[in-house]
């Protein structure tokens, strides 16, 4: 990952808890009363005093509240990180129920190598439209960029597809309101929010972002094979992979030092669970060493999901 030193001033982020709303439904039970009519003719068998009423139907099963207690644990993770000097931003989506849990922080942060998702998405859409052709070497570079966060591949594709124009196209297609291109043209300081990145993944997975399913699967299958270290040798199991160790995950990580002077930046994003049910994004800014900063973001995920499972 490039090491960018930005002179932009950072803004302290307010930490809020967001309460979850879990919807329910109420079953309606109805039955037909006995009909009124003329007295029955004598048949030698006495008619029943009343017509039988069918038993009431059981109410439909309620959706599983998969996020029970998560709001409180998210607040705890945020407070623990703050006590260690870190500012975190986190959001989790259950794609089955639509439930969202967030710590309420919505300040844009540099996404570092997570922007490689946008670069790949834009390139694969061009291919699907016949606007470009990918060689075998291109496909290998794309694979290494997504699995091992290769910077050289990212730079090649960034330059080929118009640099900042890539971000403009992604923002338009996915309706990202907190995402902006890099102020200096360097892809790693593209800024976004946890909410925008969760929205991106959700729309990538269900096709609403416009990328055909075959191309979306190129991205997701490579993220599912994320390597333990990047091509630069940096450990990239922090956050979601090490925190949710009991779940299948597909992740794109980002990191660099230093943002606004001494802050280590770490961003962990991806999908979790069978059938890619959950989407999670967590970012952290902390003025400590790299290993300690990685531990902070991993511990936040573990606090939110004890036992390494959602």
């Amino acid at each position: 990952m490039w090491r960018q030193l930005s002179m932009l001033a950072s803004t302290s982020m307010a930490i809020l808890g967001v309460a979850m709303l879990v919807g329910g439904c109420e079953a309606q039970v109805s039955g037909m009363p006995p009909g009124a009519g003329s007295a029955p003719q004598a048949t030698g068998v006495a008619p029943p005093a009343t017509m039988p009423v069918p038993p009431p139907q059981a109410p439909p099963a309620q959706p599983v509240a998969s996020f029970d207690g998560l709001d409180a644990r998210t607040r705890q993770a945020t407070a623990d990180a703050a006590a260690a000097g870190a500012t975190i931003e986190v959001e989790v989506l259950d794609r089955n129920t639509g439930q969202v849990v967030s710590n309420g922080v919505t300040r844009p942060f540099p996404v570092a190598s997570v922007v490689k998702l946008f670069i790949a998405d834009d390139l694969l859409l061009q291919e699907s439209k016949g606007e470009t052709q990918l060689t075998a070497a291109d496909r290998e570079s794309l694979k290494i960029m997504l699995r091992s966060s290769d910077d050289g591949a990212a730079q090649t594709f960034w330059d080929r597809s118009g640099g900042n124009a890539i971000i403009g196209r992604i923002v338009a297609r996915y309706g990202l309101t907190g995402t902006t291109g890099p102020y200096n043209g360097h892809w790693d300081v593209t800024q976004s929010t946890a909410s925008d990145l969760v929205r991106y993944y959700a729309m990538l997975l269900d096709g609403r972002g416009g990328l055909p399913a075959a191309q979306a699967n190129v991205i997701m299958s490579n993220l599912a094979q994320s390597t333990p270290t990047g091509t630069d040798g940096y450990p990239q199991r922090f956050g979601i992979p090490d925190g949710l160790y009991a779940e299948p995950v597909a992740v794109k990580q980002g990191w660099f030092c230093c943002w606004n002077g001494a802050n280590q930046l770490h961003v962990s994003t991806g999908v979790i669970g069978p059938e890619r049910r959950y989407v999670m994004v967590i970012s952290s800014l902390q003025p400590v060493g790299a290993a300690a900063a990685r531990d902070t973001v991993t511990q936040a995920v573990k606090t939110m999901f004890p036992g390494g499972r959602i």
Side-chain angles (χ1 to χ4, degrees), residues 109-130:
F109 52 84
V111 300
S113 284
V114 175
V115 77
K116 292 165 185 172
L117 291 172
F118 297 166
I119 295 171
D121 185 307
D122 185 75
L123 183 66
L124 289 167
L125 183 64
Q126 291 179 50
E127 182 197 31
S128 73
K129 292 180 174 181

Side-chain angles (χ1 to χ4, degrees), residues 73 239-249 272-273 298-299 301-310:
R73 296 194 302 272
I240 294 170
D242 276 348
L244 283 158
Y245 53 85
E247 295 274 14
V249 301
I272 302 149
T298 298
Q299 184 56 52
V301 177
K302 289 182 175 180
T303 298
M304 293 172 64
F305 300 107
R309 186 179 299 278
I310 294 183

